[in-house]
Structure formats: C-alpha cells, structure tokens
Amino acid sequence: MKRAKRAGLISEKSIKDALTEAKGDIFLASTTLDCTARELDGYIRASAELQQFAAAIDTVKSDAAYARMSAEQFESRLADLSRAYRVVGLEELHGLATMNHKDSAAMAKVKLQAAIALRGGSSVSGGDREIEHALAELNQLYHQNAPRIKEIRQTVIKLEDGREATQRVIELTPDQ
C-alpha cells in the first residue's frame, strides 16, 4: 500500500469510492485498490473520516428503514418498467392483429390470439376457452366452404437401387 499511496493511487476519495462500490466489504475494496485488506484496514484506522464513512455504510446496511426504502424504490422502478413494456407490447399486439396472415393457419391463429389480447380478453383459462371456441367456429366455416377432395391417388416409383418413393396426388372438386 505504501507503494500505491506514494504513487498517489490511494487517497481518501478512492477508498470511499471503493468501499461504496464494495458495499463496505474491505476485502472487495482492497481488490479494487490493488492492495491487501490489512493495508486498507490500517489506512481506514488512521483516518477518523474514513472510520465514520465505513461505520455509516455498516449502519445503512443494517437499517430496516433503508432496506424498506430500497425495496420500495425497486418496486417503483419495476412498476414503471412494466407500464412502459405494456405500451410496447400493445403496439406489437396491434401489429400482429392487423397483419396479413397469407392463408397460413398458424399465422391466422397468432393473429386471432393477438386480436383477443388486444381487445382485452378474459383470464387465461377463459381466454383459452374463447380461443378454442373461435377456432372451432373457424374450422367449421372452413369445412363448409373449403374445396372438397375428390380423389387421392398414390403413385409408387421404384428406383434403380431398390428404394421406393411415394408420391400423392390430390384432385380437388371444381369450384362452384
């Protein structure tokens, strides 16, 4: 420490900064200052101001009011972030609900779920029932209006190496 102190690397300010960063832990603070914990302890014992500073850190760490205040600040920050992320999520849901699903059933389901969430659907279990009901209606409408399969043919092709390849051909009824 004498070497670092002589080089001007350790001062009361740097010790306070290291103790603050290490939350009063002398071993962590000494690592930050590149000295031994024993050397740091000796320097703190030699300065009344540093002793008061270290005692204040210990007092704050054990103060229930400070812990409660920290918890309240955390909860407040969490609530602020949650509100901000809800706005972003709502914008994303709007994008999903208004996108073109390009005749993809999976994308249509995503679009439906986004629209329900955007509308403010009921709870998760109720939302699941609502989604299932909506999907059942969509499935029924699809079966009523979808082209009907007339015939399925299967062609088996034998390759020179003995393997077989199957090819299915589906013929649809003409549109009415």
Side-chain angles (χ1 to χ4, degrees):
M1 177 150 137
K2 291 179 184 175
R3 182 183 52 193
K5 184 178 177 188
R6 272 189 245 124
L9 299 175
I10 295 182
S11 64
E12 286 192 356
K13 181 180 178 346
S14 65
I15 291 175
K16 286 181 181 179
D17 291 344
L19 284 171
T20 301
E21 184 179 323
K23 298 180 182 166
D25 188 313
I26 291 178
F27 293 99
L28 291 176
S30 67
T31 303
T32 302
L33 294 170
D34 194 27
C35 65
T36 66
R38 184 171 180 251
E39 290 172 325
L40 181 58
D41 181 58
Y43 195 63
I44 292 170
R45 289 179 188 274
S47 168
E49 185 178 343
L50 288 176
Q51 287 177 22
Q52 290 174 349
F53 186 79
I57 289 175
D58 283 338
T59 301
V60 167
K61 283 176 31 178
S62 62
D63 186 7
Y66 177 76
R68 186 177 59 252
M69 183 179 70
S70 293
E72 288 170 359
Q73 287 174 340
F74 174 78
E75 293 297 326
S76 175
R77 179 72 175 138
L78 186 62
D80 290 345
L81 285 174
S82 294
R83 282 191 297 273
Y85 292 152
R86 269 190 240 133
V87 170
V88 172
L90 194 58
E91 289 170 350
E92 289 297 318
L93 279 174
H94 180 262
L96 286 172
T98 57
M99 72 179 189
N100 182 1
H101 59 77
K102 301 176 186 168
D103 296 327
S104 165
M107 290 305 291
K109 183 175 180 181
V110 168
K111 185 175 179 176
L112 174 67
Q113 288 173 332
I116 289 170
L118 189 59
R119 188 195 75 214
S122 42
S123 68
V124 174
S125 61
D128 287 346
R129 282 186 294 236
E130 188 173 332
I131 290 171
E132 291 300 321
H133 179 69
L135 289 175
E137 281 183 44
L138 289 173
N139 191 36
Q140 182 182 8
L141 287 170
Y142 173 78
H143 285 296
Q144 289 172 354
N145 298 311
R148 298 286 177 232
I149 296 175
K150 182 177 181 183
E151 178 181 338
I152 297 178
R153 292 183 294 146
Q154 187 170 4
T155 305
V156 177
I157 302 170
K158 290 210 180 238
L159 304 174
E160 290 179 2
D161 62 358
R163 292 182 298 151
E164 291 184 356
T166 305
Q167 184 179 20
R168 291 186 177 161
V169 178
I170 300 174
E171 294 181 6
L172 303 174
T173 58
D175 292 328
Q176 299 174 354

